[in-house]
Amino acid sequence: ICHIPDTSLLDAFVADVNVALSGVPAENDSFYYYDAATGTFQTYAGASCQQINETGAALIYQSLLEILANKGTEDKTVTLSQDQLDLVSLDIPEEILANKYSIEGSCSTSFRGSSSNRIGNIKVASSNINMLVLMPGEEVSMNQAFKPRTSANGYRLAGAYSGGKKVTSIGGGICQVSSTVYNAVKNSGLTVLERHAHSMPVHYLPLGMDAAISSGSKDLRVRNDYQFPVLFEAYTEGNRLIVNVYTNEILTAGTSYRLHAVRRGSLAASAYLEVTVNGQVVEDRSLGISRYSPLPKNDE
């Protein structure tokens, strides 16, 4: 049996490792902030770090005893698990903290079962709005943001709705992007100036919560009525499309929004925007009724 009565050197070693770890930002704990000097969004990665806790130090101590007991001279690797480390917050400069951004509105939809062309179109359209910055008072048209649906812009032939039936069209599938954006935008409190329901139900969102676009006839237009810029993030992960809208964490604190819909029969739905302030629902704003035609029998 090996025992070390004086652990001061071990404690000093763990302390030295923790000092080194304090200079390594913890993964997945960064955030966006707005840098007014450059007018750009930056990533701040120094919000927290990992530190060895008492459980981790005990594992290191036990490994040292094993080396001594076996009269070992070679180095021994000790791998610490998450419960042997603590996530410790670090001091953030005030000018960065005041401009910290968080996800205020988000939406995720599935494209499982879609053709490779349709998935490709979703990826192209979402990449065109990823990291889009909307300044105070500024408007954005999704038709323009997605860019013209041409092969030169990366779009391909895929299924789409037109004239009350399902057709093949270049850029087919991008309405899933506009619909996902619509939900994220409404959940963030931004102003929607124009939105159109599809002519027929879609598979990726409930009735009343979709947003169709078509060059020259239908658009999704959004305006930023906040007194600060907002940031759009759009990407695919697995078989899902994710759209996030980032707003100033301090200036929007206490107010949140939720888009939801209530079915009115098999082919209609009423949409509402629930507004919550400091945990209390203060309004459930009616957004109107969306009506749809049934899918043709061969497209159901």
Side-chain angles (χ1 to χ4, degrees):
I1 298 175
C2 187
H3 178 64
I4 303 175
D6 184 2
T7 62
S8 58
L9 288 177
L10 175 61
D11 295 338
F13 170 72
V14 171
D16 286 343
V17 174
N18 277 336
V19 169
L21 287 176
S22 66
V24 181
E27 293 183 5
N28 303 320
D29 198 40
S30 60
F31 62 84
Y32 290 117
Y33 71 96
Y34 183 68
D35 184 359
T38 61
T40 60
F41 279 89
Q42 303 290 332
T43 300
Y44 187 81
S48 62
C49 69
Q50 299 280 5
Q51 295 282 275
I52 300 172
N53 58 26
E54 291 183 1
T55 305
L59 179 62
I60 295 173
Y61 175 68
Q62 182 61 38
S63 299
L64 178 59
L65 293 184
E66 293 173 2
I67 294 174
L68 294 175
N70 296 322
K71 298 182 180 180
T73 57
E74 296 183 358
D75 290 343
K76 183 177 180 64
T77 299
V78 178
T79 302
L80 301 180
S81 60
Q82 196 62 46
D83 61 351
Q84 292 157 345
L85 296 166
D86 289 336
L87 188 66
V88 177
S89 298
L90 300 175
D91 290 335
I92 303 173
E94 290 185 8
E95 63 274 13
I96 291 178
L97 193 60
N99 290 286
K100 181 181 179 181
Y101 273 62
S102 60
I103 298 175
E104 183 67 22
S106 182
C107 182
S108 171
T109 57
S110 172
F111 49 77
R112 181 189 296 274
S114 294
S115 67
S116 58
N117 277 6
R118 186 177 187 276
I119 294 173
N121 291 337
I122 289 173
K123 290 183 176 181
V124 170
S126 59
S127 67
N128 285 337
I129 62 167
N130 187 43
M131 302 308 292
L132 169 71
V133 177
L134 201 59
M135 301 301 290
E138 187 178 4
E139 300 177 13
V140 61
S141 155
M142 288 302 133
N143 262 325
Q144 294 179 4
F146 291 161
K147 298 182 180 180
R149 270 70 84 189
T150 64
S151 57
N153 284 332
Y155 290 107
R156 298 291 180 263
L157 290 169
Y161 289 163
S162 179
K165 59 182 180 180
K166 190 174 181 179
V167 300
T168 299
S169 174
I170 190 164
I174 67 169
C175 280
Q176 181 165 350
V177 185
S178 64
S179 296
T180 309
V181 169
Y182 173 64
N183 281 254
V185 160
K186 294 302 291 185
N187 290 337
S188 72
L190 293 179
T191 301
V192 173
L193 300 172
E194 181 181 352
R195 171 261 174 186
H196 302 270
H198 282 80
S199 57
M200 297 175 288
V202 297
H203 68 275
Y204 45 82
L205 279 169
L207 295 183
M209 298 176 67
D210 58 308
I213 65 169
S214 178
S215 297
S217 60
K218 296 179 180 179
D219 201 356
L220 173 64
R221 293 188 300 117
V222 178
R223 185 176 67 211
N224 177 17
D225 285 335
Y226 287 125
Q227 298 302 308
F228 50 84
V230 297
L231 175 69
F232 285 76
E233 182 179 62
Y235 60 95
T236 60
E237 188 174 85
N239 57 12
R240 300 196 70 82
L241 165 67
I242 298 98
V243 176
N244 299 318
V245 178
Y246 288 80
T247 68
N248 186 291
E249 190 172 84
I250 293 178
L251 298 182
T252 56
T255 303
S256 60
Y257 305 86
R258 182 178 70 91
L259 177 67
H260 63 108
V262 177
R263 292 285 289 263
R264 305 297 184 193
S266 61
L267 291 170
S270 297
Y272 299 89
L273 185 67
E274 183 183 87
V275 184
T276 301
V277 179
N278 295 325
Q280 297 293 321
V281 177
V282 298
E283 183 182 6
D284 203 15
R285 189 180 307 158
S286 175
L287 302 178
I289 299 177
S290 297
R291 293 182 171 85
Y292 305 82
S293 299
L295 281 167
K297 289 295 182 181
N298 60 342
D299 288 333
E300 289 182 350

